Amino acid sequence: MKTIWVLVVLMVGVVNLRGAECRKAKKRVENTLEYSAISCRAHSASITDYGGIGDGKTSNTKAFREAISHLSRYEADGGAQLFVPPGQWLTGSFNLTSHFTLFLHKDAVLLASQEISEWAVIAPLPSYGHGRDTAGGRYISLIFGTNLTDVVVTGENGTIDGQGALWWQQFHKKKLKYTRPYLIEIMHSDNIQISNLTFLNSPSWNVHPVYSSNIIIQGITILAPVTSPNTDGINPDSCTNTKIEDTYIVSGDDCIAVKSGWDEYGISYGMPTKQLIIRRLTCISPYSAAIALGSEMSGGIEDVRAEDITAINTESGVRIKTGVGRGGYVKDIYVKGMNLHTMKWVFWMTGNYGSHADSHYDPKALPVIQGINYRDITAENVSMAARLEGISGDPFTGICISNATIGLAKKAKKVPWTCTDIAGVTSGVLPKPCSSLPDQGPEKVGMCSFPTDNLPIDDVEIKKCSYRMG
Ligand SMILES: *[C@@H]1O[C@H](CO)[C@@H](O)[C@H](O)[C@H]1NC(C)=O
Ligand SMILES: *[C@@H]1O[C@H](CO)[C@@H](O)[C@H](O)[C@H]1NC(C)=O
Ligand SMILES: *[C@@H]1O[C@H](CO)[C@@H](O)[C@H](O)[C@H]1NC(C)=O
Ligand SMILES: *[C@@H]1O[C@H](CO)[C@@H](O)[C@H](O)[C@H]1NC(C)=O
Ligand SMILES: *[C@@H]1O[C@H](CO)[C@@H](O)[C@H](O)[C@H]1NC(C)=O
Ligand SMILES: *[C@@H]1O[C@H](CO)[C@@H](O)[C@H](O)[C@H]1NC(C)=O
């Protein structure tokens, strides 16, 4: 009898203990946010630890600058993560640091300051020589980083809102003193992740990695009015080993614009964009391209691999833009799997893109456009299959298009292809291409190449990280 009682008491005790442990564990899970990243961090803080107030009115510029400046002390000690909780966090520009993660809760919104005087002016990019809006300097980006390594900007689809209307007005009224800011610019940096965020209403370009390498951009939504000026989605610019995946973009300019510097400045800087993967992009941009290469391509663009691209109402699918004076090259471009609806031109190449940095460009600097491969394309409601214009005396060569079925719109142009100063081959393409792209016969339908080797960015290990809310 006694032994039985002891057993019962013991067992009840064990059950109780288990229950308590369970509750404790559950609570811990509820207060922990998990995310995927190239590096996890040893130290954590919240913007509220630095006096941040998420009421949509109070400026948090000082809080962000102090927080990151303080957390930069942990660069060599496991790194740090800065958490932005639910709220509307008005802020001016701030700079990132190395071995650092900025993490936005799903209900966190960074609101860009509307005081133009609060935006510092920095020098034009050396590979451009000039700002894009005005000849002089440029307003620093909302989130800026230079000469960094190992930086993560991520969230659970939290929002970065550029409140761009003010800037678009200033641009249209020609009142800007300097080139408009971007939402995020990372320069001269290595090992960068920008993921699971929404970017709204950027003053100009949204995401601009430049002179950088080993970059993962994933799970990004970019939204801006389709009439807003120059609101490019993502602009990899003189970057190596970059991956852009699972991205949804509605904007007023090219969804992805691959660049590498402008005319004589880009030629002398000489830094190409190469080893670029673009996968699972959805784009809506009625006046621009889903993917543009150029027009600033003077440092060269090579080895671009685009796959599973959906465009719903764009001006063109893939567009190569260049001109006399650009120099540089666009070569070894591979596009496989495009599903396209409603556009003027599926394929567009322009060799007469005018805009120059200044009048000092070299008229003998002719771009080389070579080895452009497109395959497995279906398109509907298209005005013209292609408009391909090379440069007289400098033809665009090695164009390969295979397995492309292009459904023309009711009000399509009479001639579906126009081709000048270009050369290449086709197979299994409808409607029938121009004579400078002769058909190689139906058995060659798989002929346009797409690389099967991995780029190093696909081998980067992604870790499970967490942030425990205080
Ligand atoms: C983004 O979020 C998705 C699902 O919410 C998750 O599977 C993925 O790992 C995240 N990616 C990154 C790089 O944060
Ligand atoms: C951010 O970095 C840029 C470029 O190095 C610099 O001009 C600017 O003053 C920095 N801003 C702050 C707030 O430190
Ligand atoms: C940043 O890196 C670039 C390229 O390596 C270098 O020219 C520049 O001096 C560096 N700037 C700083 C502030 O270290
Ligand atoms: C992220 O938020 C945007 C804007 O609210 C929304 O359109 C998009 O579907 C969201 N993405 C995910 C993966 O939840
Ligand atoms: C042709 O492209 C379609 C997608 O548009 C794809 O499903 C099909 O497998 C491709 N055919 C060949 C022979 O590659
Ligand atoms: C086809 O494209 C035209 C513009 O060229 C557009 O007005 C129309 O709505 C599109 N039709 C469909 C079914 O998407």
Side-chain angles (χ1 to χ4, degrees), residues 36 154 193 195-196 218:
S36 312
T154 189
Q193 172 184 334
S195 63
N196 288 359
Q218 194 187 49

Side-chain angles (χ1 to χ4, degrees), residues 313 341-344 380-383 409-411:
N313 195 1
H341 306 263
T342 305
M343 60 185 54
K344 277 192 184 161
E380 288 169 10
N381 199 27
V382 167
S383 304
K410 280 208 188 82
K411 290 184 184 163

Side-chain angles (χ1 to χ4, degrees), residues 65 93-95 120-122 140 144 146:
R65 288 180 182 176
S93 166
F94 57 85
N95 290 347
V121 176
I122 59 172
I140 195 167
F144 181 79
T146 191

Side-chain angles (χ1 to χ4, degrees), residues 375-378 403 445:
R375 61 179 288 178
D376 305 347
I377 316 263
T378 54
N403 187 27
V445 71

Side-chain angles (χ1 to χ4, degrees), residues 125-130 211 260-271 298-299 325-326 356-361:
L125 292 164
S127 59
Y128 285 66
H130 288 251
Y211 318 135
S260 67
W262 205 5
D263 289 350
E264 69 273 24
Y265 304 99
I267 295 169
S268 82
Y269 203 78
M271 193 167 186
S298 303
R326 284 287 192 274
H356 292 289
D358 53 36
S359 57
H360 304 308
Y361 68 89

